[in-house]
Amino acid sequence: MDGSLLEKVQSLSDLELAALLSLIAGQHCIIETDSESIDPLADELNLIATKIFSLSCKTIECSGTSTIDDFGNTLLQDNNSLEAVRDPKARSITLSERSSTQNFPRDDPKADPTIANVVIAKNLDCASRPMQIQALELLRTKRIYTHVAVHTAPKRFLFVILLVDNQRGNALVSHLSDQVLLSHYHSAEDGFINIEEGVEEAISERDSMSSVVRRPSKLPQVDEPETEPLKLSAEEIDLLTTQARSVTTTAEVRQYMQSINVFLRMHRAVGGGVTPQGTKHFELLAKCIAPLHGLSFVTPSLVGLAARKAYRHRIRIAAPEDERSIQWGSDLGTVADMLEGVTPVDVIEDVLSAVEMPL
């Protein structure tokens, strides 16, 4: 990898890396946070899409009253308007509001609505099951059907599911969770870098307009170089994708990954979620992480990082009555006490500590 590109990648925040990994793999991601931070986090993700990756972005807010028609219409944006890129701080609107006001002209081919490169779906777990299945269909086929046309997602397409973390796992349809490459929890303590930079720029601009700086006439006036914002071009993302495809995995590391899969399936707190699709995403994510570290091979430490991101949203904690030791006479109350407070993160850390790492 080129040194400048590696330097760019290493300067990215966790949220930016999650988006970059999804774009490299051509997959999608789940971002979780606390209830108070979900709105600023949506704005931060919007800024990441537009400022860092120069992609159009659309934020939609889902609810239990949203319909399939609302979802389909809200995904679309006017092709004549670049508001999604020029105004990344635009607030999201609810599905019902968008559906009631959307009116695209039909006589101009250039005005045909299109799907944005990045779609941020807030609180998708609160939506109805049919609507979540519609989102699953979009992720699988990159198409959305409305009453008037079939709309195809762009070649570079990222669907970000923004949820409130409840520790015990999300309420998404299991097949939808299984279609997502990775999940990441963002704490408010980690901050919102792009939003904070925008505020600082606004304050600096205001102060510069309200003050006059007089330079001595004898001193030459030197223009300070402007700092260009960090951006990753489509060519650089394609380069990382090519490098990820050529990443190799040794037999020992493959055995280590297989052992992690087996231990996860057999863990007594796991009620499901370790699927064949999850195994494929686990391997794919490990290979996509390697180029970001300047490596052409997968290391055991990268496997551990991939496992934490690939299985966090997939693992379903078993109900006490479904825990397998009940079949052999375990006390239900004791099992319930054992499973109380156990989260998918706890399960993954338990397995990673139990499986021997290759040297």
Side-chain angles (χ1 to χ4, degrees):
M1 182 192 300
D2 181 71
S4 60
L5 178 55
L6 184 60
E7 185 178 351
K8 279 186 181 180
V9 170
Q10 292 178 346
S11 64
L12 296 176
S13 66
D14 290 345
L15 285 175
E16 294 163 351
L17 284 172
L20 177 59
L21 283 169
S22 301
L23 291 171
I24 292 173
Q27 299 293 329
H28 312 281
C29 64
I30 293 175
I31 305 295
E32 295 180 317
T33 187
D34 54 81
S35 57
E36 293 79 11
S37 303
I38 192 167
D39 288 332
L41 182 54
D43 294 337
E44 175 72 11
L45 291 170
N46 203 316
L47 288 170
I48 289 173
T50 54
K51 290 178 59 179
I52 305 300
F53 302 109
S54 301
L55 299 174
S56 60
C57 184
K58 192 65 167 293
T59 304
I60 61 177
E61 187 165 353
C62 309
S63 66
T65 59
S66 304
T67 65
I68 295 178
D69 291 337
D70 293 335
F71 180 74
N73 291 330
T74 311
L75 285 174
L76 305 178
Q77 63 177 1
D78 190 346
N79 211 21
N80 288 333
S81 174
L82 296 179
E83 180 182 357
V85 177
R86 293 176 179 173
D87 189 13
K89 297 181 181 179
R91 299 289 298 178
S92 63
I93 58 177
T94 63
L95 291 176
S96 56
E97 289 173 346
R98 180 66 177 184
S99 179
S100 62
T101 58
Q102 189 118 359
N103 184 19
F104 294 106
R106 304 297 177 192
D107 55 347
D108 185 2
K110 294 182 179 180
D112 288 342
T114 60
I115 300 176
N117 295 106
V118 180
V119 175
I120 303 171
K122 291 172 57 179
N123 301 314
L124 186 58
D125 55 341
C126 298
S128 63
R129 181 180 178 85
M131 183 171 161
Q132 293 189 36
I133 294 176
Q134 184 79 349
L136 171 62
E137 187 70 13
L138 173 64
L139 268 57
R140 288 176 57 87
T141 65
K142 287 193 173 183
R143 290 184 178 90
I144 193 73
Y145 297 86
T146 63
H147 288 299
V148 296
V150 178
H151 303 278
T152 303
K155 180 180 179 181
R156 198 175 301 281
F157 177 60
L158 172 60
F159 193 85
V160 181
I161 302 175
L162 185 55
L163 306 175
V164 175
D165 181 39
N166 64 2
Q167 298 294 325
R168 297 281 291 183
N170 58 67
L172 294 173
V173 174
S174 59
H175 292 289
L176 179 57
S177 292
D178 201 31
Q179 198 65 29
V180 176
L181 175 68
L182 63 89
S183 63
H184 172 72
Y185 176 79
H186 184 79
S187 173
E189 297 178 354
D190 297 329
F192 305 98
I193 297 176
N194 291 280
I195 293 178
E196 293 167 358
E197 288 180 353
V199 172
E200 291 177 357
E201 290 175 2
I203 294 175
S204 177
E205 183 178 355
R206 183 195 62 189
D207 292 343
S208 63
M209 293 293 293
S210 61
S211 62
V212 177
V213 178
R214 291 187 172 86
R215 298 178 180 270
S217 57
K218 295 182 179 180
L219 295 178
Q221 185 172 348
V222 179
D223 295 332
E224 296 182 359
E226 295 183 359
T227 303
E228 290 292 332
L230 175 66
K231 287 188 178 182
L232 284 171
S233 65
E235 292 75 16
E236 290 173 327
I237 297 176
D238 291 337
L239 175 60
L240 291 171
T241 301
T242 302
Q243 292 176 347
R245 290 172 181 168
S246 61
V247 169
T248 59
T249 308
T250 63
E252 292 79 10
V253 172
R254 283 186 178 274
Q255 182 180 4
Y256 179 52
M257 298 177 72
Q258 182 62 23
S259 297
I260 291 175
N261 289 326
V262 172
F263 272 63
L264 284 173
R265 289 192 181 100
M266 298 303 296
H267 197 283
R268 63 186 304 181
V270 174
V274 188
T275 62
Q277 182 67 32
T279 302
K280 292 180 181 179
H281 280 171
F282 178 28
E283 182 178 353
L284 174 61
L285 184 56
K287 289 185 175 182
C288 291
I289 295 175
L292 305 187
H293 292 266
L295 300 174
S296 60
F297 54 91
V298 177
T299 64
S301 60
L302 296 185
V303 169
L305 179 58
R308 292 180 176 93
K309 298 301 180 182
Y311 286 117
R312 184 179 182 274
H313 61 285
R314 288 186 166 89
I315 292 177
R316 308 283 176 172
I317 301 300
E321 59 272 15
D322 297 329
E323 200 273 329
R324 61 176 59 93
S325 68
I326 294 293
Q327 303 176 35
W328 297 287
S330 293
D331 180 69
L332 182 61
T334 302
V335 172
D337 292 338
M338 185 272 296
L339 293 177
E340 184 178 2
V342 176
T343 66
V345 175
D346 297 331
V347 172
I348 295 171
E349 294 300 333
D350 188 23
V351 167
L352 291 178
S353 61
V355 179
E356 184 177 358
M357 183 182 296
L359 299 176

